[in-house]
Amino acid sequence: MKYFFIYLFLLFSLISAQSFGQTNKGTIKGKVFDPEYGNIIGANILLLGTNLGAAADSNGSYVIRNVPFGQYAIKCTYIGYPPGFDTINVTNENSEVILDFELTIPKISIVMPDSLQQYHNLISTLDPSEILEINIDSVSKNFDYTYLTITNNTEYPIYLIEDMLCFNTVDEILKESKGEEVSSNIVNLGCDDLGAIELPKLKNLIIIEPFSTKKFPPVRNYKYRMINSPKMTGKFYLSIKYQMRDYKYIPPYTMARSFDDYYAKHKEEIYVLNRATRGIFYSKNSIIVNLTPN
């Protein structure tokens, strides 16, 4: 009996020692990359439902340490890319999990016609009224925003860009009761052909499918926010002009050594810009707005 208790004591001690040596935690590591552009520096990796995560270093590598054993959903994000998701299981047998994330920028496909140049040539031959139908739905009570609905009247997808710096894509036009234009809101915040311009991102592109209608993002009205604009009061008729300027060339980016260097830094933006519909389109309707002093 004495030897039996000694055996139990030794067995218990051995199990305790093994348990003490185990941390019940593991490590997740890997790389984040774009197959076309290479390693993605600064991508964020997060174990959903926890506060555990990491950021990719200068080599696109990441390490998440001290991960308790268990099954997790993991998410990888980086600006301009759709997020990557996966599930992993960290166990004693699999305490070091290797997981790479391949992120890609979604490509914008033009179904028809095949040639992008043919597309623009065709669009440019159509009367603006045959391409886009812009309707003003309403304006906010304090005239901060205008809400639009845009219809694509063609059999081809239309590519539009939201209102943004340097492109003057959406202008307000105010007319008085006699139809005379009082002021148009041309906002160009100091961008010129000598300096860098802000190029559109993929997220700024609005695609309207053939023969479909889409709500345009709220258009911010700058009229009361322009430093030198007159303080106008009274009743006016508001109409909208959508215009996308046709840049014959893109000014060199500040500090770029060459166009190749510039193109390498802004390939995505140029890709988007080449697909934006150029031209000037007026809203089909106008609505009455009452401007009051601030």
Side-chain angles (χ1 to χ4, degrees):
M1 182 65 69
K2 180 176 67 172
Y3 293 108
F4 176 73
F5 283 111
I6 293 174
Y7 171 76
L8 288 180
F9 175 77
L10 292 175
L11 180 63
F12 177 78
S13 300
L14 179 62
I15 294 174
S16 298
Q18 288 178 341
S19 298
F20 181 79
Q22 291 177 353
T23 61
N24 293 328
K25 292 183 178 180
T27 301
I28 305 169
K29 62 182 181 179
K31 297 193 70 172
V32 184
F33 65 95
D34 181 318
E36 185 174 356
Y37 297 105
N39 298 331
I40 299 178
I41 303 170
N44 292 307
I45 301 90
L46 177 67
L47 294 184
L48 300 181
T50 76
N51 60 356
L52 298 174
D57 61 18
S58 58
N59 296 315
S61 301
Y62 74 93
V63 180
I64 306 175
R65 306 182 191 278
N66 298 318
V67 180
F69 290 167
Q71 188 171 18
Y72 299 92
I74 187 169
K75 179 181 180 181
C76 179
T77 59
Y78 189 73
I79 297 173
Y81 289 82
F85 293 93
D86 211 327
T87 56
I88 54 171
N89 197 15
V90 184
T91 65
N92 187 37
E93 297 76 18
N94 188 30
S95 60
E96 184 174 278
V97 179
I98 309 296
L99 179 63
D100 295 337
F101 283 95
E102 179 181 312
L103 302 183
T104 57
I105 298 173
K107 301 302 181 184
I108 305 165
S109 60
I110 295 180
V111 178
M112 54 186 298
D114 295 330
S115 165
L116 183 63
Q117 186 61 50
Q118 182 186 354
Y119 168 81
H120 283 305
N121 290 345
L122 179 96
I123 291 295
S124 65
T125 63
L126 298 176
D127 185 275
S129 62
E130 298 175 339
I131 302 174
L132 290 180
E133 181 179 305
I134 302 175
N135 279 284
I136 303 175
D137 298 330
S138 62
V139 295
S140 59
K141 186 176 180 180
N142 55 359
F143 197 52
D144 279 344
Y145 294 94
T146 298
Y147 299 89
L148 308 176
T149 297
I150 298 183
T151 301
N152 175 6
N153 292 322
T154 75
E155 59 180 320
Y156 306 100
I158 293 293
Y159 301 84
L160 303 177
I161 294 178
E162 289 186 50
D163 195 32
M164 60 182 296
L165 181 64
C166 295
F167 278 86
N168 297 342
T169 49
V170 180
D171 300 331
E172 316 162 53
I173 299 174
L174 289 178
K175 294 183 179 180
E176 37 107 285
S177 58
K178 295 181 180 179
E180 297 294 326
E181 185 173 321
V182 176
S183 176
S184 62
N185 178 31
I186 305 295
V187 181
N188 190 328
L189 303 180
C191 299
D192 53 49
D193 288 341
L194 299 178
I197 61 174
E198 180 176 322
L199 295 175
K201 305 288 185 182
L202 193 64
K203 64 182 180 180
N204 299 117
L205 196 67
I206 301 169
I207 303 178
I208 308 179
E209 299 298 336
F211 304 114
S212 67
T213 297
K214 192 167 190 174
K215 296 287 185 183
F216 197 86
V219 176
R220 184 166 182 82
N221 301 327
Y222 292 93
K223 194 161 300 296
Y224 277 158
R225 292 165 179 77
M226 294 176 66
I227 297 175
N228 297 320
S229 64
K231 297 292 184 179
M232 294 181 293
T233 61
K235 182 172 73 173
F236 298 91
Y237 294 88
L238 170 69
S239 58
I240 290 292
K241 176 172 66 174
Y242 177 92
Q243 61 175 351
M244 179 62 198
R245 290 188 284 179
D246 187 4
Y247 280 92
K248 302 299 182 184
Y249 69 97
I250 300 175
Y253 184 76
T254 304
M255 304 301 292
R257 295 186 297 273
S258 65
F259 179 78
D260 290 338
D261 182 49
Y262 176 80
Y263 183 79
K265 288 184 171 67
H266 297 276
K267 188 174 182 179
E268 176 197 340
E269 292 95 325
I270 295 173
Y271 181 88
V272 171
L273 180 61
N274 285 340
R275 280 150 181 77
T277 298
R278 275 77 159 182
I280 299 177
F281 309 92
Y282 291 90
S283 59
K284 185 178 180 181
N285 66 329
S286 60
I287 62 174
I288 297 175
V289 293
N290 289 294
L291 303 184
T292 57
N294 289 341

